[in-house]
mmCIF file with all atom_site columns, all heavy atoms in Angstrom:
data_model
loop_
_atom_site.group_PDB
_atom_site.id
_atom_site.type_symbol
_atom_site.label_atom_id
_atom_site.label_alt_id
_atom_site.label_comp_id
_atom_site.label_asym_id
_atom_site.label_entity_id
_atom_site.label_seq_id
_atom_site.pdbx_PDB_ins_code
_atom_site.Cartn_x
_atom_site.Cartn_y
_atom_site.Cartn_z
_atom_site.occupancy
_atom_site.B_iso_or_equiv
_atom_site.pdbx_formal_charge
_atom_site.auth_seq_id
_atom_site.auth_comp_id
_atom_site.auth_asym_id
_atom_site.auth_atom_id
_atom_site.pdbx_PDB_model_num
ATOM 1  N N   . TYR A 1 72  ? -28.564 4.545  -5.872  1.00 97.00 ? 1132 TYR A N   1
ATOM 2  C CA  . TYR A 1 72  ? -29.703 4.359  -4.984  1.00 97.00 ? 1132 TYR A CA  1
ATOM 3  C C   . TYR A 1 72  ? -30.780 3.513  -5.666  1.00 97.00 ? 1132 TYR A C   1
ATOM 4  O O   . TYR A 1 72  ? -30.974 3.591  -6.877  1.00 97.00 ? 1132 TYR A O   1
ATOM 5  C CB  . TYR A 1 72  ? -30.313 5.708  -4.606  1.00 97.00 ? 1132 TYR A CB  1
ATOM 6  C CG  . TYR A 1 72  ? -29.479 6.544  -3.665  1.00 97.00 ? 1132 TYR A CG  1
ATOM 7  C CD1 . TYR A 1 72  ? -28.955 7.768  -4.076  1.00 97.00 ? 1132 TYR A CD1 1
ATOM 8  C CD2 . TYR A 1 72  ? -29.244 6.122  -2.354  1.00 97.00 ? 1132 TYR A CD2 1
ATOM 9  C CE1 . TYR A 1 72  ? -28.206 8.554  -3.208  1.00 97.00 ? 1132 TYR A CE1 1
ATOM 10 C CE2 . TYR A 1 72  ? -28.493 6.892  -1.485  1.00 97.00 ? 1132 TYR A CE2 1
ATOM 11 C CZ  . TYR A 1 72  ? -27.979 8.112  -1.918  1.00 97.00 ? 1132 TYR A CZ  1
ATOM 12 O OH  . TYR A 1 72  ? -27.241 8.881  -1.055  1.00 97.00 ? 1132 TYR A OH  1
ATOM 13 N N   . VAL A 1 73  ? -31.487 2.738  -4.867  1.00 97.00 ? 1133 VAL A N   1
ATOM 14 C CA  . VAL A 1 73  ? -32.649 2.005  -5.356  1.00 97.00 ? 1133 VAL A CA  1
ATOM 15 C C   . VAL A 1 73  ? -33.872 2.920  -5.293  1.00 97.00 ? 1133 VAL A C   1
ATOM 16 O O   . VAL A 1 73  ? -34.138 3.553  -4.267  1.00 97.00 ? 1133 VAL A O   1
ATOM 17 C CB  . VAL A 1 73  ? -32.899 0.733  -4.510  1.00 97.00 ? 1133 VAL A CB  1
ATOM 18 C CG1 . VAL A 1 73  ? -34.256 0.109  -4.855  1.00 97.00 ? 1133 VAL A CG1 1
ATOM 19 C CG2 . VAL A 1 73  ? -31.772 -0.277 -4.720  1.00 97.00 ? 1133 VAL A CG2 1
ATOM 20 N N   . GLY A 1 74  ? -34.593 2.989  -6.413  1.00 96.00 ? 1134 GLY A N   1
ATOM 21 C CA  . GLY A 1 74  ? -35.855 3.712  -6.431  1.00 96.00 ? 1134 GLY A CA  1
ATOM 22 C C   . GLY A 1 74  ? -35.796 5.145  -6.897  1.00 96.00 ? 1134 GLY A C   1
ATOM 23 O O   . GLY A 1 74  ? -36.833 5.813  -6.965  1.00 96.00 ? 1134 GLY A O   1
ATOM 24 N N   . LEU A 1 75  ? -34.598 5.644  -7.255  1.00 96.00 ? 1135 LEU A N   1
ATOM 25 C CA  . LEU A 1 75  ? -34.505 7.007  -7.784  1.00 96.00 ? 1135 LEU A CA  1
ATOM 26 C C   . LEU A 1 75  ? -34.414 6.961  -9.303  1.00 96.00 ? 1135 LEU A C   1
ATOM 27 O O   . LEU A 1 75  ? -33.527 6.303  -9.851  1.00 96.00 ? 1135 LEU A O   1
ATOM 28 C CB  . LEU A 1 75  ? -33.275 7.740  -7.225  1.00 96.00 ? 1135 LEU A CB  1
ATOM 29 C CG  . LEU A 1 75  ? -33.256 8.108  -5.746  1.00 96.00 ? 1135 LEU A CG  1
ATOM 30 C CD1 . LEU A 1 75  ? -32.062 9.015  -5.465  1.00 96.00 ? 1135 LEU A CD1 1
ATOM 31 C CD2 . LEU A 1 75  ? -34.543 8.767  -5.295  1.00 96.00 ? 1135 LEU A CD2 1
ATOM 32 N N   . PRO A 1 76  ? -35.304 7.655  -10.017 1.00 96.00 ? 1136 PRO A N   1
ATOM 33 C CA  . PRO A 1 76  ? -35.190 7.724  -11.475 1.00 96.00 ? 1136 PRO A CA  1
ATOM 34 C C   . PRO A 1 76  ? -33.848 8.337  -11.880 1.00 96.00 ? 1136 PRO A C   1
ATOM 35 O O   . PRO A 1 76  ? -33.248 9.108  -11.115 1.00 96.00 ? 1136 PRO A O   1
ATOM 36 C CB  . PRO A 1 76  ? -36.355 8.648  -11.869 1.00 96.00 ? 1136 PRO A CB  1
ATOM 37 C CG  . PRO A 1 76  ? -37.298 8.617  -10.711 1.00 96.00 ? 1136 PRO A CG  1
ATOM 38 C CD  . PRO A 1 76  ? -36.453 8.411  -9.491  1.00 96.00 ? 1136 PRO A CD  1
ATOM 39 N N   . HIS A 1 77  ? -33.391 8.008  -13.067 1.00 96.00 ? 1137 HIS A N   1
ATOM 40 C CA  . HIS A 1 77  ? -32.077 8.468  -13.516 1.00 96.00 ? 1137 HIS A CA  1
ATOM 41 C C   . HIS A 1 77  ? -31.954 9.994  -13.525 1.00 96.00 ? 1137 HIS A C   1
ATOM 42 O O   . HIS A 1 77  ? -30.849 10.530 -13.351 1.00 96.00 ? 1137 HIS A O   1
ATOM 43 C CB  . HIS A 1 77  ? -31.768 7.927  -14.909 1.00 96.00 ? 1137 HIS A CB  1
ATOM 44 C CG  . HIS A 1 77  ? -31.643 6.439  -14.939 1.00 96.00 ? 1137 HIS A CG  1
ATOM 45 N ND1 . HIS A 1 77  ? -31.428 5.737  -16.112 1.00 96.00 ? 1137 HIS A ND1 1
ATOM 46 C CD2 . HIS A 1 77  ? -31.693 5.514  -13.945 1.00 96.00 ? 1137 HIS A CD2 1
ATOM 47 C CE1 . HIS A 1 77  ? -31.359 4.442  -15.832 1.00 96.00 ? 1137 HIS A CE1 1
ATOM 48 N NE2 . HIS A 1 77  ? -31.525 4.280  -14.539 1.00 96.00 ? 1137 HIS A NE2 1
ATOM 49 N N   . ASP A 1 106 ? -28.526 0.284  -12.379 1.00 98.00 ? 1166 ASP A N   1
ATOM 50 C CA  . ASP A 1 106 ? -29.889 0.776  -12.563 1.00 98.00 ? 1166 ASP A CA  1
ATOM 51 C C   . ASP A 1 106 ? -30.721 0.462  -11.321 1.00 98.00 ? 1166 ASP A C   1
ATOM 52 O O   . ASP A 1 106 ? -31.193 -0.665 -11.139 1.00 98.00 ? 1166 ASP A O   1
ATOM 53 C CB  . ASP A 1 106 ? -30.514 0.132  -13.803 1.00 98.00 ? 1166 ASP A CB  1
ATOM 54 C CG  . ASP A 1 106 ? -31.905 0.676  -14.104 1.00 98.00 ? 1166 ASP A CG  1
ATOM 55 O OD1 . ASP A 1 106 ? -32.370 1.573  -13.370 1.00 98.00 ? 1166 ASP A OD1 1
ATOM 56 O OD2 . ASP A 1 106 ? -32.516 0.204  -15.079 1.00 98.00 ? 1166 ASP A OD2 1
ATOM 57 N N   . GLY A 1 107 ? -30.892 1.455  -10.476 1.00 97.00 ? 1167 GLY A N   1
ATOM 58 C CA  . GLY A 1 107 ? -31.671 1.281  -9.258  1.00 97.00 ? 1167 GLY A CA  1
ATOM 59 C C   . GLY A 1 107 ? -33.159 1.185  -9.494  1.00 97.00 ? 1167 GLY A C   1
ATOM 60 O O   . GLY A 1 107 ? -33.931 0.955  -8.554  1.00 97.00 ? 1167 GLY A O   1
ATOM 61 N N   . MET A 1 108 ? -33.592 1.364  -10.745 1.00 98.00 ? 1168 MET A N   1
ATOM 62 C CA  . MET A 1 108 ? -34.998 1.242  -11.109 1.00 98.00 ? 1168 MET A CA  1
ATOM 63 C C   . MET A 1 108 ? -35.291 -0.084 -11.814 1.00 98.00 ? 1168 MET A C   1
ATOM 64 O O   . MET A 1 108 ? -36.405 -0.309 -12.288 1.00 98.00 ? 1168 MET A O   1
ATOM 65 C CB  . MET A 1 108 ? -35.405 2.405  -12.021 1.00 98.00 ? 1168 MET A CB  1
ATOM 66 C CG  . MET A 1 108 ? -35.299 3.771  -11.384 1.00 98.00 ? 1168 MET A CG  1
ATOM 67 S SD  . MET A 1 108 ? -36.472 4.005  -10.028 1.00 98.00 ? 1168 MET A SD  1
ATOM 68 C CE  . MET A 1 108 ? -38.013 4.076  -10.946 1.00 98.00 ? 1168 MET A CE  1
ATOM 69 N N   . ALA A 1 109 ? -34.299 -0.956 -11.903 1.00 98.00 ? 1169 ALA A N   1
ATOM 70 C CA  . ALA A 1 109 ? -34.482 -2.233 -12.595 1.00 98.00 ? 1169 ALA A CA  1
ATOM 71 C C   . ALA A 1 109 ? -35.570 -3.063 -11.914 1.00 98.00 ? 1169 ALA A C   1
ATOM 72 O O   . ALA A 1 109 ? -35.695 -3.065 -10.685 1.00 98.00 ? 1169 ALA A O   1
ATOM 73 C CB  . ALA A 1 109 ? -33.165 -3.005 -12.620 1.00 98.00 ? 1169 ALA A CB  1
ATOM 74 N N   . LYS A 1 110 ? -36.339 -3.793 -12.716 1.00 97.00 ? 1170 LYS A N   1
ATOM 75 C CA  . LYS A 1 110 ? -37.401 -4.629 -12.154 1.00 97.00 ? 1170 LYS A CA  1
ATOM 76 C C   . LYS A 1 110 ? -36.831 -5.781 -11.346 1.00 97.00 ? 1170 LYS A C   1
ATOM 77 O O   . LYS A 1 110 ? -37.392 -6.183 -10.328 1.00 97.00 ? 1170 LYS A O   1
ATOM 78 C CB  . LYS A 1 110 ? -38.294 -5.154 -13.286 1.00 97.00 ? 1170 LYS A CB  1
ATOM 79 C CG  . LYS A 1 110 ? -39.132 -4.072 -13.964 1.00 97.00 ? 1170 LYS A CG  1
ATOM 80 C CD  . LYS A 1 110 ? -40.028 -4.660 -15.036 1.00 97.00 ? 1170 LYS A CD  1
ATOM 81 C CE  . LYS A 1 110 ? -40.885 -3.584 -15.686 1.00 97.00 ? 1170 LYS A CE  1
ATOM 82 N NZ  . LYS A 1 110 ? -41.771 -4.136 -16.754 1.00 97.00 ? 1170 LYS A NZ  1
ATOM 83 N N   . LEU A 1 112 ? -33.585 -6.523 -9.423  1.00 98.00 ? 1172 LEU A N   1
ATOM 84 C CA  . LEU A 1 112 ? -32.352 -5.910 -8.935  1.00 98.00 ? 1172 LEU A CA  1
ATOM 85 C C   . LEU A 1 112 ? -31.203 -6.921 -8.840  1.00 98.00 ? 1172 LEU A C   1
ATOM 86 O O   . LEU A 1 112 ? -30.051 -6.579 -9.110  1.00 98.00 ? 1172 LEU A O   1
ATOM 87 C CB  . LEU A 1 112 ? -32.595 -5.254 -7.576  1.00 98.00 ? 1172 LEU A CB  1
ATOM 88 C CG  . LEU A 1 112 ? -33.557 -4.061 -7.582  1.00 98.00 ? 1172 LEU A CG  1
ATOM 89 C CD1 . LEU A 1 112 ? -33.806 -3.559 -6.157  1.00 98.00 ? 1172 LEU A CD1 1
ATOM 90 C CD2 . LEU A 1 112 ? -33.022 -2.928 -8.449  1.00 98.00 ? 1172 LEU A CD2 1
#
Side-chain angles (χ1 to χ4, degrees):
Y1132 289 116
V1133 170
L1135 291 189
H1137 295 177
D1166 184 2
M1168 297 294 290
K1170 291 182 179 180
L1172 295 176

